[in-house]
Amino acid sequence: MEIAKLLAKKKFEIKYTKSEDELSRDLNAWGLTAMGVGAIVGAGIFITPGIIAANYAGPGTMFAYILSAAVCALAAMCYSEFASTIPVAGSAYAYVYTVFGELIAWIIGWALVSEYLFAVSSVAVSWSAYFQSLLSGFGINLPDFLSVSMGTPGKSGGINVIAGIITLVIGFILAKGIKESTKLNSILVATKVIVIVLFIVVAIFYIKPKNYSPLLPFGFKGVLAGSAVAFYAYIGFDAVSTASEEVKNPQRDMPIGIVSSLLIASVLYAAVAAVLVGVVHYTKLNVADPVAYALQLMNQNWVAGIVSFGAVAGMTTVLLVMSYGGTRLIFAISRDGLLPKPLSRINKETHVPVFNTYTFAILASLVSMFIPLDKIAELVNIGTLFAFATVSIGVVFLRKLDNYDELPVGFKVPLYPVIPIVSFIMCVVLMTQLQAVTWMVFAAWFTFGLIIYFSYGYRHSNLHKKNDNEDDQDPDIEPTM
């Protein structure tokens, strides 16, 4: 095993033939923004504000979201430079491949696979719960052995069939093509934004100023810990960067899509958190559905029903976008030879990696059906923060590439190198706030990924084959470093 091969870097000028590997460019800035809002504003806005308020930040929950948004904004600028400079599928994996080499790229890619797979599975479980809540309003109640996973606290559970079915349905929709998926996503995003604004407008008249005192019952440490939890709500913008290869004008549209979706989502999250803790005392918000709970206390049951519908619509968009991001990440890794080739095979009619899409949907479906929510959500935050930290510091190395001046740079991080370095440090700080069990699970996933790389990826890497062929032609040429 050669160290040079482990650290070999992929140059952006490597091309792929249109007949086999090219995705269609159908997305614009609006489509990317809708995609970002669709991924960011979902289960988190209907669930996490209550958890953070009751356990971490109290009435200062809005500050936890703002702090997380600030960290994400720094990382978003770093992502924007990469996405506009290296507009290919794969997000952080593809970026890291160009600046740190193959092994680090695989590690980041594998961490992101966990993010997308477990994020989709966890949201599917939440979608199932809200959908069943809607059904109960019509007098339809499913038995536990068909509606919740075995091991779910307080339930006799068996198989969460609803979660499994919705995941497969999302895979079917994505397999039909990016245009169709984007249209549905835009409609659902508009629906849930209207529902969230409705909640804010109605609830603002029920705010009790005394609920804001004390503002920070757990101190700033509580806000910091709450930010680590709130970070889960913002990870969706990473999925936007996976769309680089399907954007009409990536140099212009990628930065707009990433930054604008994060800005819109941040305002919505902070507003919901601020209103929620004003209506209900933070000590009473440790419930699964804090928004619906607040509306019930206000005797606004008609709004609660609409919010439940909005929650289902909101989580559907998260499932769409995060599933999309996961399939495009796996597509990029497979195209480089590090995963089996069928995972990067493109359908000639829809220009979608259909086998990849169905494979991802089936895996996520199985996880969501058999594993409880509290178990499958553990890997999401740490994998994302790890990727964000690496991309942030990667901008420094991107600027030092020999061919940087030849790349189609569409956006540059301001205050370079301060912002990339600060972003890296803040991501690491948030990682330290995560529970020990999360680190242990991540270590196990990390080890499993290395086994796959050294048993398959290392031996099938396209870059290794390319460099080996160049060496055979001219012994004086060394692998790209």
Side-chain angles (χ1 to χ4, degrees), residues 369-413:
M369 284 194 295
F370 294 102
I371 304 178
L373 178 61
D374 61 333
K375 300 294 189 297
I376 59 181
E378 291 173 350
L379 277 172
V380 179
N381 273 3
I382 192 166
T384 308
L385 282 167
F386 184 48
F388 283 10
T390 309
V391 168
S392 296
I393 200 66
V395 171
V396 177
F397 292 85
L398 173 67
R399 297 281 185 98
K400 295 181 179 180
L401 289 178
D402 293 337
N403 65 335
Y404 178 77
D405 293 335
E406 302 172 6
L407 297 176
V409 182
F411 176 85
K412 286 190 175 184
V413 177

Side-chain angles (χ1 to χ4, degrees), residues 49-369:
I51 297 173
I52 296 171
N55 301 298
Y56 300 98
T61 296
M62 69 188 86
F63 301 127
Y65 281 109
I66 292 172
L67 179 58
S68 285
V71 174
C72 282
L74 298 177
M77 286 189 281
C78 297
Y79 264 84
S80 294
E81 177 160 339
F82 267 114
S84 65
T85 305
I86 307 174
V88 295
S91 184
Y93 158 79
Y95 310 151
V96 169
Y97 212 153
T98 64
V99 294
F100 293 128
E102 183 172 283
L103 180 59
I104 305 301
W106 168 264
I107 292 172
I108 294 298
W110 189 245
L112 287 176
V113 167
S114 74
E115 173 202 328
Y116 287 115
L117 179 62
F118 289 96
V120 168
S121 301
S122 63
V123 173
V125 174
S126 297
W127 190 98
S128 173
Y130 269 92
F131 182 72
Q132 290 175 64
S133 177
L134 280 178
L135 290 180
S136 65
F138 296 95
I140 303 174
N141 295 289
L142 299 177
D144 285 354
F145 73 90
L146 288 178
S147 57
V148 295
S149 305
M150 187 178 298
T152 301
K155 300 287 185 179
S156 57
I159 301 174
N160 196 331
V161 176
I162 301 299
I165 290 175
I166 185 59
T167 309
L168 294 176
V169 170
I170 292 297
F172 176 78
I173 293 172
L174 287 173
K176 292 300 180 181
I178 187 63
K179 281 186 177 180
E180 289 73 14
S181 303
T182 303
K183 289 177 182 177
L184 176 60
N185 181 68
S186 297
I187 293 172
L188 293 175
V189 166
T191 299
K192 70 178 176 183
V193 170
I194 291 172
V195 168
I196 292 169
V197 172
L198 174 64
F199 165 74
I200 295 171
V201 171
V202 171
I204 199 169
F205 294 100
Y206 292 84
I207 289 178
K208 300 175 183 177
K210 65 180 182 180
N211 286 336
Y212 290 113
S213 181
L215 185 61
L216 300 177
F218 305 101
F220 180 73
K221 185 177 181 180
V223 174
L224 188 61
S227 295
V229 177
F231 197 84
Y232 172 79
Y234 292 109
I235 62 175
F237 84 78
D238 175 81
V240 178
S241 67
T242 66
S244 294
E245 208 165 321
E246 294 168 89
V247 178
K248 296 176 181 178
N249 187 350
Q251 283 70 39
R252 182 197 67 189
D253 295 342
M254 288 306 300
I256 293 175
I258 291 174
V259 175
S260 60
S261 61
L262 180 60
L263 178 62
I264 293 171
S266 301
V267 171
L268 290 176
Y269 269 107
V272 168
V275 171
L276 188 63
V277 296
V279 172
V280 184
H281 195 269
Y282 74 92
T283 57
K284 300 178 181 179
L285 284 173
N286 195 19
V287 294
D289 52 351
V291 174
Y293 175 67
L295 289 168
Q296 290 170 5
L297 291 181
M298 292 184 290
N299 294 317
Q300 297 291 335
N301 293 327
W302 68 276
V303 181
I306 296 176
V307 168
S308 294
F309 175 76
V312 170
M315 285 184 277
T316 301
T317 65
V318 178
L319 289 172
L320 270 170
V321 180
M322 297 304 284
S323 294
Y324 167 86
T327 61
R328 295 317 188 261
L329 171 65
I330 293 173
F331 165 81
I333 298 175
S334 169
R335 188 171 62 178
D336 291 331
L338 305 185
L339 285 174
K341 282 296 181 184
L343 294 172
S344 57
R345 189 176 297 138
I346 295 291
N347 181 282
K348 295 181 180 179
E349 295 181 1
T350 62
H351 297 282
V352 170
V354 174
F355 176 74
N356 168 336
T357 300
Y358 284 134
T359 299
F360 183 88
I362 291 171
L363 289 175
S365 177
L366 290 172
V367 173
S368 66
M369 284 194 295

Side-chain angles (χ1 to χ4, degrees), residues 465-475 477-480:
K465 294 176 182 178
K466 177 179 181 294
N467 288 339
D468 287 343
N469 289 336
E470 290 178 351
D471 287 346
D472 290 339
Q473 295 172 6
D474 188 343
I477 299 179
E478 297 182 358
T480 305

